[in-house]
Amino acid sequence: MVIDCLENYEAMSSRAADVVASAISEKPTGVFGFATGSTPVGLYKSLIARYQRGEVTFSKLTTINLDEYIGLSADHEQSYRFFMQHNLFGHVDVQPECVHFPPVNGEPAAFDDLIRNKKGIDLQILGLGSNGHIGFNEPGSAFDSRTRVVELESSTIRDNARFFEHQRDVPRQAVTMGIKTILEAHQILLLASGANKANAVARSLEGPQTENVPGSCLQSHPNVIVLLDEAAAARLTTK
Ligand code: GLP
C-alpha cells in the first residue's frame, strides 16, 4: 500500500487525476471503476479539464460504478447515475453503452458476471464513509461479499442527508459492489479528505483487519494507492 498525504483537497484531487489519467493512457480500452460522493468531485473536475485540453480520452473505456441507491429514478438528482452524468460522464467522450451501474431491479450477481466477462476492473476508485464503509458495504459486511442489496446504516443516512431536502428522503437501501468484488480489482485508488474521515482512515489503514471496518480489507490488497489530505491523515501514526 502506498499512502500519500497531500496538503489539501485540491492537491489530493490533482494527484488522483494524475493516477487515473496515466492509467487510462496506459490502457485506453480498460475497465475503470468510479465512485460517487463529494470526495471524488475534484478528481472528476480535473479529469474533465485534462479531457478538454486533449490530454486524455474516455472513448474506449468501460466504466463500472460502485453502488446505487434503491428507490430513486435514474434521473433523480441524487441518484448515482445522475451524479456521474453531471460530474463526469456528461462532460467527456465516454460511450453511453459502455457505462455500467449495479442493477437496482435485476439480479445483483449479473453485475459480478459482467465484471468477470470484462476480465476484471483495472483501476477502482474508492471513497471512504465516516464509519469506514467502502461503496455501500457497511460495517459487518463480509470480506467475501459480492454485489448485493444492502440496508444503509443510520449514520450513513445522516451523513448523506445533506444532499437531500429532508433526512426522510434518503433511501434506506442500496445495491453495492461487494467487498470481494472490489478486492479483485487489479489496482485500487482510495481517496479521503477532511477531519470527519480521520478516524475511519486510521482504522482502515492501521487498525486490525476486521469486517467491522470495511476499509481495513484494503490492507490485504497488493496494489492500493491511498491519497489523503492533511486533515484526513491526522490520526495516522506513520507519517
Ligand atoms: C457514500 C458512497 C460511498 C462514498 C462515501 C463517502 O455513501 N456510497 O461510495 O465513498 O459514502 O462519501 P463522501 O465522499 O461524500 O464523504
Side-chain angles (χ1 to χ4, degrees), residues 34-41 66-69 80 125-131 133-138 152 156 159-160 162-163 174 176 190-191 193 196-197:
F34 289 93
T36 51
S38 47
T39 309
V41 169
L66 265 180
D67 47 13
E68 180 58 286
Y69 285 120
Y80 285 165
I125 298 161
L126 291 181
L128 189 66
S130 63
N131 62 0
H133 75 206
I134 52 174
F136 269 133
N137 292 286
E138 298 284 32
L152 302 184
T156 297
D159 281 354
N160 290 358
R162 68 189 193 277
F163 300 113
T176 184
L190 175 71
L191 305 178
S193 123
N196 66 324
K197 300 294 173 69

PDB file of all heavy atoms in Angstrom, residues 34-41 66-69 80 125-131 133-138 152 156 159-160 162-163 174 176 190-191 193 196-197, ligand 1:
ATOM      1  N   PHE A  34     -15.681   3.649 -10.995  1.00  0.00           N
ATOM      2  CA  PHE A  34     -15.859   5.007 -10.473  1.00  0.00           C
ATOM      3  C   PHE A  34     -16.693   4.998  -9.195  1.00  0.00           C
ATOM      4  O   PHE A  34     -17.497   4.101  -8.961  1.00  0.00           O
ATOM      5  CB  PHE A  34     -16.505   5.896 -11.540  1.00  0.00           C
ATOM      6  CG  PHE A  34     -15.562   6.211 -12.668  1.00  0.00           C
ATOM      7  CD1 PHE A  34     -15.528   5.429 -13.815  1.00  0.00           C
ATOM      8  CD2 PHE A  34     -14.666   7.267 -12.561  1.00  0.00           C
ATOM      9  CE1 PHE A  34     -14.634   5.704 -14.848  1.00  0.00           C
ATOM     10  CE2 PHE A  34     -13.769   7.550 -13.582  1.00  0.00           C
ATOM     11  CZ  PHE A  34     -13.750   6.777 -14.726  1.00  0.00           C
ATOM     12  N   ALA A  35     -16.446   6.035  -8.392  1.00  0.00           N
ATOM     13  CA  ALA A  35     -17.139   6.165  -7.109  1.00  0.00           C
ATOM     14  C   ALA A  35     -17.902   7.487  -7.091  1.00  0.00           C
ATOM     15  O   ALA A  35     -17.568   8.407  -7.840  1.00  0.00           O
ATOM     16  CB  ALA A  35     -16.121   6.149  -5.973  1.00  0.00           C
ATOM     17  N   THR A  36     -18.873   7.575  -6.227  1.00  0.00           N
ATOM     18  CA  THR A  36     -19.640   8.820  -6.064  1.00  0.00           C
ATOM     19  C   THR A  36     -19.325   9.420  -4.693  1.00  0.00           C
ATOM     20  O   THR A  36     -18.391   8.992  -4.025  1.00  0.00           O
ATOM     21  CB  THR A  36     -21.140   8.530  -6.222  1.00  0.00           C
ATOM     22  OG1 THR A  36     -21.453   7.425  -5.361  1.00  0.00           O
ATOM     23  CG2 THR A  36     -21.486   8.171  -7.653  1.00  0.00           C
ATOM     24  N   GLY A  37     -20.115  10.398  -4.274  1.00  0.00           N
ATOM     25  CA  GLY A  37     -19.838  11.086  -3.020  1.00  0.00           C
ATOM     26  C   GLY A  37     -19.093  12.380  -3.316  1.00  0.00           C
ATOM     27  O   GLY A  37     -18.650  12.620  -4.447  1.00  0.00           O
ATOM     28  N   SER A  38     -18.925  13.199  -2.297  1.00  0.00           N
ATOM     29  CA  SER A  38     -18.283  14.501  -2.525  1.00  0.00           C
ATOM     30  C   SER A  38     -16.776  14.354  -2.739  1.00  0.00           C
ATOM     31  O   SER A  38     -16.159  15.182  -3.414  1.00  0.00           O
ATOM     32  CB  SER A  38     -18.578  15.446  -1.364  1.00  0.00           C
ATOM     33  OG  SER A  38     -18.367  14.783  -0.148  1.00  0.00           O
ATOM     34  N   THR A  39     -16.169  13.302  -2.206  1.00  0.00           N
ATOM     35  CA  THR A  39     -14.701  13.177  -2.268  1.00  0.00           C
ATOM     36  C   THR A  39     -14.143  13.205  -3.688  1.00  0.00           C
ATOM     37  O   THR A  39     -13.195  13.951  -3.945  1.00  0.00           O
ATOM     38  CB  THR A  39     -14.249  11.902  -1.526  1.00  0.00           C
ATOM     39  OG1 THR A  39     -14.838  11.912  -0.228  1.00  0.00           O
ATOM     40  CG2 THR A  39     -12.734  11.841  -1.408  1.00  0.00           C
ATOM     41  N   PRO A  40     -14.671  12.402  -4.639  1.00  0.00           N
ATOM     42  CA  PRO A  40     -14.026  12.395  -5.965  1.00  0.00           C
ATOM     43  C   PRO A  40     -14.441  13.539  -6.894  1.00  0.00           C
ATOM     44  O   PRO A  40     -13.986  13.566  -8.043  1.00  0.00           O
ATOM     45  CB  PRO A  40     -14.449  11.033  -6.546  1.00  0.00           C
ATOM     46  CG  PRO A  40     -15.710  10.687  -5.861  1.00  0.00           C
ATOM     47  CD  PRO A  40     -15.716  11.375  -4.528  1.00  0.00           C
ATOM     48  N   VAL A  41     -15.253  14.483  -6.425  1.00  0.00           N
ATOM     49  CA  VAL A  41     -15.722  15.550  -7.325  1.00  0.00           C
ATOM     50  C   VAL A  41     -14.542  16.354  -7.888  1.00  0.00           C
ATOM     51  O   VAL A  41     -14.494  16.670  -9.085  1.00  0.00           O
ATOM     52  CB  VAL A  41     -16.738  16.468  -6.595  1.00  0.00           C
ATOM     53  CG1 VAL A  41     -17.030  17.717  -7.408  1.00  0.00           C
ATOM     54  CG2 VAL A  41     -18.032  15.705  -6.330  1.00  0.00           C
ATOM     55  N   LEU A  66     -19.661   1.798  -8.483  1.00  0.00           N
ATOM     56  CA  LEU A  66     -19.641   1.001  -7.257  1.00  0.00           C
ATOM     57  C   LEU A  66     -21.008   0.666  -6.700  1.00  0.00           C
ATOM     58  O   LEU A  66     -21.213  -0.421  -6.172  1.00  0.00           O
ATOM     59  CB  LEU A  66     -18.980   1.833  -6.152  1.00  0.00           C
ATOM     60  CG  LEU A  66     -17.534   1.719  -5.827  1.00  0.00           C
ATOM     61  CD1 LEU A  66     -17.225   2.682  -4.687  1.00  0.00           C
ATOM     62  CD2 LEU A  66     -17.171   0.299  -5.420  1.00  0.00           C
ATOM     63  N   ASP A  67     -21.887   1.649  -6.726  1.00  0.00           N
ATOM     64  CA  ASP A  67     -23.140   1.465  -5.973  1.00  0.00           C
ATOM     65  C   ASP A  67     -24.226   2.375  -6.523  1.00  0.00           C
ATOM     66  O   ASP A  67     -23.961   3.265  -7.335  1.00  0.00           O
ATOM     67  CB  ASP A  67     -22.911   1.710  -4.468  1.00  0.00           C
ATOM     68  CG  ASP A  67     -22.123   2.979  -4.166  1.00  0.00           C
ATOM     69  OD1 ASP A  67     -21.952   3.806  -5.077  1.00  0.00           O
ATOM     70  OD2 ASP A  67     -21.683   3.143  -3.021  1.00  0.00           O
ATOM     71  N   GLU A  68     -25.446   2.115  -6.086  1.00  0.00           N
ATOM     72  CA  GLU A  68     -26.595   2.938  -6.497  1.00  0.00           C
ATOM     73  C   GLU A  68     -27.678   2.802  -5.430  1.00  0.00           C
ATOM     74  O   GLU A  68     -27.857   1.731  -4.840  1.00  0.00           O
ATOM     75  CB  GLU A  68     -27.131   2.468  -7.856  1.00  0.00           C
ATOM     76  CG  GLU A  68     -28.329   3.234  -8.396  1.00  0.00           C
ATOM     77  CD  GLU A  68     -28.101   4.742  -8.570  1.00  0.00           C
ATOM     78  OE1 GLU A  68     -28.075   5.460  -7.541  1.00  0.00           O
ATOM     79  OE2 GLU A  68     -27.979   5.201  -9.727  1.00  0.00           O
ATOM     80  N   TYR A  69     -28.356   3.909  -5.172  1.00  0.00           N
ATOM     81  CA  TYR A  69     -29.500   3.868  -4.262  1.00  0.00           C
ATOM     82  C   TYR A  69     -30.628   3.053  -4.886  1.00  0.00           C
ATOM     83  O   TYR A  69     -30.818   3.073  -6.105  1.00  0.00           O
ATOM     84  CB  TYR A  69     -30.044   5.274  -4.032  1.00  0.00           C
ATOM     85  CG  TYR A  69     -29.213   6.143  -3.129  1.00  0.00           C
ATOM     86  CD1 TYR A  69     -28.673   7.339  -3.598  1.00  0.00           C
ATOM     87  CD2 TYR A  69     -28.985   5.799  -1.798  1.00  0.00           C
ATOM     88  CE1 TYR A  69     -27.937   8.166  -2.764  1.00  0.00           C
ATOM     89  CE2 TYR A  69     -28.242   6.623  -0.957  1.00  0.00           C
ATOM     90  CZ  TYR A  69     -27.727   7.801  -1.450  1.00  0.00           C
ATOM     91  OH  TYR A  69     -27.001   8.610  -0.622  1.00  0.00           O
ATOM     92  N   TYR A  80     -27.057   7.980  -8.248  1.00  0.00           N
ATOM     93  CA  TYR A  80     -25.636   7.994  -8.583  1.00  0.00           C
ATOM     94  C   TYR A  80     -25.418   8.034 -10.092  1.00  0.00           C
ATOM     95  O   TYR A  80     -24.394   8.516 -10.566  1.00  0.00           O
ATOM     96  CB  TYR A  80     -24.924   6.818  -7.913  1.00  0.00           C
ATOM     97  CG  TYR A  80     -24.726   7.036  -6.418  1.00  0.00           C
ATOM     98  CD1 TYR A  80     -24.395   5.985  -5.568  1.00  0.00           C
ATOM     99  CD2 TYR A  80     -24.844   8.302  -5.848  1.00  0.00           C
ATOM    100  CE1 TYR A  80     -24.193   6.184  -4.206  1.00  0.00           C
ATOM    101  CE2 TYR A  80     -24.654   8.514  -4.492  1.00  0.00           C
ATOM    102  CZ  TYR A  80     -24.322   7.457  -3.678  1.00  0.00           C
ATOM    103  OH  TYR A  80     -24.117   7.668  -2.334  1.00  0.00           O
ATOM    104  N   ILE A 125     -11.681   3.287  -8.211  1.00  0.00           N
ATOM    105  CA  ILE A 125     -11.606   4.469  -7.338  1.00  0.00           C
ATOM    106  C   ILE A 125     -12.560   4.241  -6.165  1.00  0.00           C
ATOM    107  O   ILE A 125     -13.694   3.785  -6.361  1.00  0.00           O
ATOM    108  CB  ILE A 125     -12.031   5.726  -8.128  1.00  0.00           C
ATOM    109  CG1 ILE A 125     -11.078   5.953  -9.307  1.00  0.00           C
ATOM    110  CG2 ILE A 125     -12.094   6.948  -7.219  1.00  0.00           C
ATOM    111  CD1 ILE A 125     -11.640   6.866 -10.387  1.00  0.00           C
ATOM    112  N   LEU A 126     -12.113   4.577  -4.969  1.00  0.00           N
ATOM    113  CA  LEU A 126     -12.958   4.418  -3.781  1.00  0.00           C
ATOM    114  C   LEU A 126     -12.919   5.676  -2.924  1.00  0.00           C
ATOM    115  O   LEU A 126     -11.857   6.297  -2.777  1.00  0.00           O
ATOM    116  CB  LEU A 126     -12.435   3.288  -2.881  1.00  0.00           C
ATOM    117  CG  LEU A 126     -12.508   1.844  -3.331  1.00  0.00           C
ATOM    118  CD1 LEU A 126     -11.932   0.953  -2.228  1.00  0.00           C
ATOM    119  CD2 LEU A 126     -13.954   1.437  -3.638  1.00  0.00           C
ATOM    120  N   GLY A 127     -14.050   6.009  -2.327  1.00  0.00           N
ATOM    121  CA  GLY A 127     -14.081   6.951  -1.214  1.00  0.00           C
ATOM    122  C   GLY A 127     -14.216   6.130   0.056  1.00  0.00           C
ATOM    123  O   GLY A 127     -14.201   4.894   0.016  1.00  0.00           O
ATOM    124  N   LEU A 128     -14.356   6.804   1.176  1.00  0.00           N
ATOM    125  CA  LEU A 128     -14.466   6.104   2.460  1.00  0.00           C
ATOM    126  C   LEU A 128     -15.581   6.765   3.265  1.00  0.00           C
ATOM    127  O   LEU A 128     -15.588   7.997   3.410  1.00  0.00           O
ATOM    128  CB  LEU A 128     -13.122   6.226   3.190  1.00  0.00           C
ATOM    129  CG  LEU A 128     -12.919   5.410   4.450  1.00  0.00           C
ATOM    130  CD1 LEU A 128     -12.908   3.907   4.159  1.00  0.00           C
ATOM    131  CD2 LEU A 128     -11.616   5.816   5.141  1.00  0.00           C
ATOM    132  N   GLY A 129     -16.504   5.961   3.787  1.00  0.00           N
ATOM    133  CA  GLY A 129     -17.538   6.524   4.663  1.00  0.00           C
ATOM    134  C   GLY A 129     -16.943   6.869   6.017  1.00  0.00           C
ATOM    135  O   GLY A 129     -15.901   6.329   6.406  1.00  0.00           O
ATOM    136  N   SER A 130     -17.601   7.752   6.756  1.00  0.00           N
ATOM    137  CA  SER A 130     -17.063   8.115   8.075  1.00  0.00           C
ATOM    138  C   SER A 130     -17.118   6.913   9.025  1.00  0.00           C
ATOM    139  O   SER A 130     -16.422   6.876  10.034  1.00  0.00           O
ATOM    140  CB  SER A 130     -17.820   9.311   8.662  1.00  0.00           C
ATOM    141  OG  SER A 130     -19.166   8.970   8.858  1.00  0.00           O
ATOM    142  N   ASN A 131     -17.930   5.904   8.703  1.00  0.00           N
ATOM    143  CA  ASN A 131     -17.954   4.677   9.502  1.00  0.00           C
ATOM    144  C   ASN A 131     -17.039   3.594   8.905  1.00  0.00           C
ATOM    145  O   ASN A 131     -17.097   2.439   9.306  1.00  0.00           O
ATOM    146  CB  ASN A 131     -19.394   4.140   9.620  1.00  0.00           C
ATOM    147  CG  ASN A 131     -19.987   3.756   8.263  1.00  0.00           C
ATOM    148  OD1 ASN A 131     -19.323   3.890   7.238  1.00  0.00           O
ATOM    149  ND2 ASN A 131     -21.215   3.279   8.265  1.00  0.00           N
ATOM    150  N   HIS A 133     -17.079   2.619   5.695  1.00  0.00           N
ATOM    151  CA  HIS A 133     -17.638   1.820   4.589  1.00  0.00           C
ATOM    152  C   HIS A 133     -16.937   2.138   3.264  1.00  0.00           C
ATOM    153  O   HIS A 133     -16.386   3.222   3.066  1.00  0.00           O
ATOM    154  CB  HIS A 133     -19.166   1.944   4.490  1.00  0.00           C
ATOM    155  CG  HIS A 133     -19.722   3.221   3.922  1.00  0.00           C
ATOM    156  ND1 HIS A 133     -20.985   3.678   4.250  1.00  0.00           N
ATOM    157  CD2 HIS A 133     -19.235   4.119   3.062  1.00  0.00           C
ATOM    158  CE1 HIS A 133     -21.237   4.792   3.598  1.00  0.00           C
ATOM    159  NE2 HIS A 133     -20.180   5.092   2.866  1.00  0.00           N
ATOM    160  N   ILE A 134     -16.934   1.148   2.386  1.00  0.00           N
ATOM    161  CA  ILE A 134     -16.474   1.355   1.004  1.00  0.00           C
ATOM    162  C   ILE A 134     -17.608   0.906   0.095  1.00  0.00           C
ATOM    163  O   ILE A 134     -18.228  -0.123   0.336  1.00  0.00           O
ATOM    164  CB  ILE A 134     -15.142   0.609   0.693  1.00  0.00           C
ATOM    165  CG1 ILE A 134     -15.213  -0.867   1.079  1.00  0.00           C
ATOM    166  CG2 ILE A 134     -13.971   1.287   1.380  1.00  0.00           C
ATOM    167  CD1 ILE A 134     -13.971  -1.666   0.660  1.00  0.00           C
ATOM    168  N   GLY A 135     -17.868   1.700  -0.971  1.00  0.00           N
ATOM    169  CA  GLY A 135     -19.120   1.515  -1.694  1.00  0.00           C
ATOM    170  C   GLY A 135     -20.215   1.712  -0.652  1.00  0.00           C
ATOM    171  O   GLY A 135     -20.157   2.648   0.157  1.00  0.00           O
ATOM    172  N   PHE A 136     -21.188   0.812  -0.625  1.00  0.00           N
ATOM    173  CA  PHE A 136     -22.161   0.828   0.476  1.00  0.00           C
ATOM    174  C   PHE A 136     -22.002  -0.437   1.307  1.00  0.00           C
ATOM    175  O   PHE A 136     -22.970  -0.938   1.874  1.00  0.00           O
ATOM    176  CB  PHE A 136     -23.588   0.990  -0.055  1.00  0.00           C
ATOM    177  CG  PHE A 136     -24.049   2.417  -0.161  1.00  0.00           C
ATOM    178  CD1 PHE A 136     -24.674   2.880  -1.301  1.00  0.00           C
ATOM    179  CD2 PHE A 136     -23.894   3.308   0.905  1.00  0.00           C
ATOM    180  CE1 PHE A 136     -25.127   4.189  -1.402  1.00  0.00           C
ATOM    181  CE2 PHE A 136     -24.340   4.623   0.819  1.00  0.00           C
ATOM    182  CZ  PHE A 136     -24.953   5.064  -0.334  1.00  0.00           C
ATOM    183  N   ASN A 137     -20.780  -0.945   1.389  1.00  0.00           N
ATOM    184  CA  ASN A 137     -20.511  -2.080   2.277  1.00  0.00           C
ATOM    185  C   ASN A 137     -20.339  -1.529   3.679  1.00  0.00           C
ATOM    186  O   ASN A 137     -19.284  -1.012   4.046  1.00  0.00           O
ATOM    187  CB  ASN A 137     -19.245  -2.814   1.828  1.00  0.00           C
ATOM    188  CG  ASN A 137     -19.431  -3.514   0.500  1.00  0.00           C
ATOM    189  OD1 ASN A 137     -20.092  -4.548   0.417  1.00  0.00           O
ATOM    190  ND2 ASN A 137     -18.879  -2.924  -0.561  1.00  0.00           N
ATOM    191  N   GLU A 138     -21.414  -1.641   4.447  1.00  0.00           N
ATOM    192  CA  GLU A 138     -21.434  -1.086   5.792  1.00  0.00           C
ATOM    193  C   GLU A 138     -20.678  -1.998   6.755  1.00  0.00           C
ATOM    194  O   GLU A 138     -20.404  -3.163   6.426  1.00  0.00           O
ATOM    195  CB  GLU A 138     -22.900  -0.946   6.255  1.00  0.00           C
ATOM    196  CG  GLU A 138     -23.747  -0.009   5.403  1.00  0.00           C
ATOM    197  CD  GLU A 138     -23.478   1.476   5.664  1.00  0.00           C
ATOM    198  OE1 GLU A 138     -22.335   1.844   5.995  1.00  0.00           O
ATOM    199  OE2 GLU A 138     -24.423   2.274   5.517  1.00  0.00           O
ATOM    200  N   LEU A 152     -28.906   0.559   4.573  1.00  0.00           N
ATOM    201  CA  LEU A 152     -27.932   1.579   4.973  1.00  0.00           C
ATOM    202  C   LEU A 152     -27.979   1.801   6.479  1.00  0.00           C
ATOM    203  O   LEU A 152     -29.053   1.770   7.090  1.00  0.00           O
ATOM    204  CB  LEU A 152     -28.211   2.894   4.247  1.00  0.00           C
ATOM    205  CG  LEU A 152     -28.194   2.776   2.724  1.00  0.00           C
ATOM    206  CD1 LEU A 152     -28.370   4.146   2.088  1.00  0.00           C
ATOM    207  CD2 LEU A 152     -26.894   2.142   2.235  1.00  0.00           C
ATOM    208  N   THR A 156     -24.922   6.483   7.994  1.00  0.00           N
ATOM    209  CA  THR A 156     -24.766   6.779   6.559  1.00  0.00           C
ATOM    210  C   THR A 156     -25.935   7.628   6.077  1.00  0.00           C
ATOM    211  O   THR A 156     -25.753   8.589   5.316  1.00  0.00           O
ATOM    212  CB  THR A 156     -24.701   5.454   5.766  1.00  0.00           C
ATOM    213  OG1 THR A 156     -23.543   4.735   6.199  1.00  0.00           O
ATOM    214  CG2 THR A 156     -24.632   5.674   4.273  1.00  0.00           C
ATOM    215  N   ASP A 159     -25.223  11.048   7.287  1.00  0.00           N
ATOM    216  CA  ASP A 159     -24.136  11.665   6.501  1.00  0.00           C
ATOM    217  C   ASP A 159     -24.649  12.145   5.149  1.00  0.00           C
ATOM    218  O   ASP A 159     -24.263  13.210   4.665  1.00  0.00           O
ATOM    219  CB  ASP A 159     -23.012  10.650   6.229  1.00  0.00           C
ATOM    220  CG  ASP A 159     -22.086  10.463   7.428  1.00  0.00           C
ATOM    221  OD1 ASP A 159     -22.237  11.202   8.425  1.00  0.00           O
ATOM    222  OD2 ASP A 159     -21.215   9.568   7.359  1.00  0.00           O
ATOM    223  N   ASN A 160     -25.487  11.311   4.512  1.00  0.00           N
ATOM    224  CA  ASN A 160     -25.901  11.622   3.141  1.00  0.00           C
ATOM    225  C   ASN A 160     -27.142  12.507   3.077  1.00  0.00           C
ATOM    226  O   ASN A 160     -27.523  12.965   1.999  1.00  0.00           O
ATOM    227  CB  ASN A 160     -26.105  10.322   2.350  1.00  0.00           C
ATOM    228  CG  ASN A 160     -24.765   9.637   2.083  1.00  0.00           C
ATOM    229  OD1 ASN A 160     -23.713  10.162   2.456  1.00  0.00           O
ATOM    230  ND2 ASN A 160     -24.783   8.490   1.432  1.00  0.00           N
ATOM    231  N   ARG A 162     -27.356  15.444   3.811  1.00  0.00           N
ATOM    232  CA  ARG A 162     -27.015  16.797   3.358  1.00  0.00           C
ATOM    233  C   ARG A 162     -27.322  17.013   1.875  1.00  0.00           C
ATOM    234  O   ARG A 162     -27.439  18.146   1.432  1.00  0.00           O
ATOM    235  CB  ARG A 162     -25.540  17.115   3.664  1.00  0.00           C
ATOM    236  CG  ARG A 162     -24.523  16.313   2.871  1.00  0.00           C
ATOM    237  CD  ARG A 162     -23.111  16.566   3.441  1.00  0.00           C
ATOM    238  NE  ARG A 162     -22.027  16.092   2.589  1.00  0.00           N
ATOM    239  CZ  ARG A 162     -21.586  14.839   2.548  1.00  0.00           C
ATOM    240  NH1 ARG A 162     -22.167  13.909   3.303  1.00  0.00           N
ATOM    241  NH2 ARG A 162     -20.593  14.504   1.757  1.00  0.00           N
ATOM    242  N   PHE A 163     -27.436  15.921   1.140  1.00  0.00           N
ATOM    243  CA  PHE A 163     -27.726  16.052  -0.294  1.00  0.00           C
ATOM    244  C   PHE A 163     -29.232  16.068  -0.588  1.00  0.00           C
ATOM    245  O   PHE A 163     -29.649  16.296  -1.715  1.00  0.00           O
ATOM    246  CB  PHE A 163     -27.093  14.888  -1.076  1.00  0.00           C
ATOM    247  CG  PHE A 163     -25.595  14.826  -0.928  1.00  0.00           C
ATOM    248  CD1 PHE A 163     -24.989  13.771  -0.263  1.00  0.00           C
ATOM    249  CD2 PHE A 163     -24.796  15.833  -1.444  1.00  0.00           C
ATOM    250  CE1 PHE A 163     -23.606  13.711  -0.123  1.00  0.00           C
ATOM    251  CE2 PHE A 163     -23.409  15.790  -1.308  1.00  0.00           C
ATOM    252  CZ  PHE A 163     -22.819  14.720  -0.651  1.00  0.00           C
ATOM    253  N   ALA A 174     -29.615   0.197  -0.811  1.00  0.00           N
ATOM    254  CA  ALA A 174     -28.791   0.450  -1.997  1.00  0.00           C
ATOM    255  C   ALA A 174     -28.321  -0.887  -2.530  1.00  0.00           C
ATOM    256  O   ALA A 174     -28.434  -1.918  -1.851  1.00  0.00           O
ATOM    257  CB  ALA A 174     -27.599   1.315  -1.623  1.00  0.00           C
ATOM    258  N   THR A 176     -24.798  -2.515  -3.872  1.00  0.00           N
ATOM    259  CA  THR A 176     -23.375  -2.184  -3.867  1.00  0.00           C
ATOM    260  C   THR A 176     -22.533  -3.336  -4.387  1.00  0.00           C
ATOM    261  O   THR A 176     -22.847  -4.508  -4.169  1.00  0.00           O
ATOM    262  CB  THR A 176     -22.896  -1.810  -2.437  1.00  0.00           C
ATOM    263  OG1 THR A 176     -21.522  -1.410  -2.514  1.00  0.00           O
ATOM    264  CG2 THR A 176     -23.003  -2.960  -1.436  1.00  0.00           C
ATOM    265  N   LEU A 190      -7.744   4.789  -3.288  1.00  0.00           N
ATOM    266  CA  LEU A 190      -8.625   5.220  -2.193  1.00  0.00           C
ATOM    267  C   LEU A 190      -8.370   6.696  -1.904  1.00  0.00           C
ATOM    268  O   LEU A 190      -7.216   7.103  -1.707  1.00  0.00           O
ATOM    269  CB  LEU A 190      -8.335   4.389  -0.936  1.00  0.00           C
ATOM    270  CG  LEU A 190      -9.093   4.815   0.325  1.00  0.00           C
ATOM    271  CD1 LEU A 190     -10.585   4.480   0.231  1.00  0.00           C
ATOM    272  CD2 LEU A 190      -8.501   4.162   1.577  1.00  0.00           C
ATOM    273  N   LEU A 191      -9.445   7.468  -1.844  1.00  0.00           N
ATOM    274  CA  LEU A 191      -9.329   8.905  -1.552  1.00  0.00           C
ATOM    275  C   LEU A 191     -10.090   9.219  -0.268  1.00  0.00           C
ATOM    276  O   LEU A 191     -11.189   8.708  -0.066  1.00  0.00           O
ATOM    277  CB  LEU A 191      -9.973   9.733  -2.669  1.00  0.00           C
ATOM    278  CG  LEU A 191      -9.483   9.501  -4.097  1.00  0.00           C
ATOM    279  CD1 LEU A 191     -10.273  10.386  -5.058  1.00  0.00           C
ATOM    280  CD2 LEU A 191      -7.990   9.788  -4.195  1.00  0.00           C
ATOM    281  N   SER A 193     -10.709  12.775   2.391  1.00  0.00           N
ATOM    282  CA  SER A 193     -10.366  14.161   2.698  1.00  0.00           C
ATOM    283  C   SER A 193     -11.229  14.655   3.853  1.00  0.00           C
ATOM    284  O   SER A 193     -12.378  14.249   4.001  1.00  0.00           O
ATOM    285  CB  SER A 193     -10.567  14.985   1.427  1.00  0.00           C
ATOM    286  OG  SER A 193     -11.454  16.022   1.620  1.00  0.00           O
ATOM    287  N   ASN A 196     -13.489  14.697   9.281  1.00  0.00           N
ATOM    288  CA  ASN A 196     -14.511  13.687   9.651  1.00  0.00           C
ATOM    289  C   ASN A 196     -14.165  12.292   9.127  1.00  0.00           C
ATOM    290  O   ASN A 196     -14.839  11.330   9.456  1.00  0.00           O
ATOM    291  CB  ASN A 196     -15.911  14.117   9.174  1.00  0.00           C
ATOM    292  CG  ASN A 196     -16.020  14.151   7.672  1.00  0.00           C
ATOM    293  OD1 ASN A 196     -15.053  14.509   6.981  1.00  0.00           O
ATOM    294  ND2 ASN A 196     -17.156  13.775   7.135  1.00  0.00           N
ATOM    295  N   LYS A 197     -13.092  12.187   8.324  1.00  0.00           N
ATOM    296  CA  LYS A 197     -12.656  10.875   7.835  1.00  0.00           C
ATOM    297  C   LYS A 197     -11.430  10.357   8.587  1.00  0.00           C
ATOM    298  O   LYS A 197     -11.002   9.218   8.379  1.00  0.00           O
ATOM    299  CB  LYS A 197     -12.330  10.939   6.331  1.00  0.00           C
ATOM    300  CG  LYS A 197     -13.498  11.353   5.447  1.00  0.00           C
ATOM    301  CD  LYS A 197     -14.617  10.317   5.463  1.00  0.00           C
ATOM    302  CE  LYS A 197     -15.848  10.786   4.736  1.00  0.00           C
ATOM    303  NZ  LYS A 197     -15.706  10.891   3.310  1.00  0.00           N
TER     304      LYS A 197
HETATM  305  C1  GLP B   1     -21.274   7.333   0.132  1.00  0.00           C
HETATM  306  C2  GLP B   1     -20.979   6.354  -1.015  1.00  0.00           C
HETATM  307  C3  GLP B   1     -19.555   5.904  -0.978  1.00  0.00           C
HETATM  308  C4  GLP B   1     -18.689   7.107  -0.668  1.00  0.00           C
HETATM  309  C5  GLP B   1     -18.906   7.509   0.767  1.00  0.00           C
HETATM  310  C6  GLP B   1     -18.231   8.793   1.171  1.00  0.00           C
HETATM  311  O1  GLP B   1     -22.360   6.977   0.913  1.00  0.00           O
HETATM  312  N1  GLP B   1     -21.808   5.205  -1.089  1.00  0.00           N
HETATM  313  O2  GLP B   1     -19.214   5.289  -2.202  1.00  0.00           O
HETATM  314  O3  GLP B   1     -17.331   6.784  -0.829  1.00  0.00           O
HETATM  315  O4  GLP B   1     -20.263   7.482   1.105  1.00  0.00           O
HETATM  316  O5  GLP B   1     -18.934   9.908   0.707  1.00  0.00           O
HETATM  317  P1  GLP B   1     -18.304  11.349   0.682  1.00  0.00           P
HETATM  318  O6  GLP B   1     -17.218  11.308  -0.320  1.00  0.00           O
HETATM  319  O7  GLP B   1     -19.436  12.249   0.244  1.00  0.00           O
HETATM  320  O8  GLP B   1     -17.821  11.645   2.033  1.00  0.00           O
END
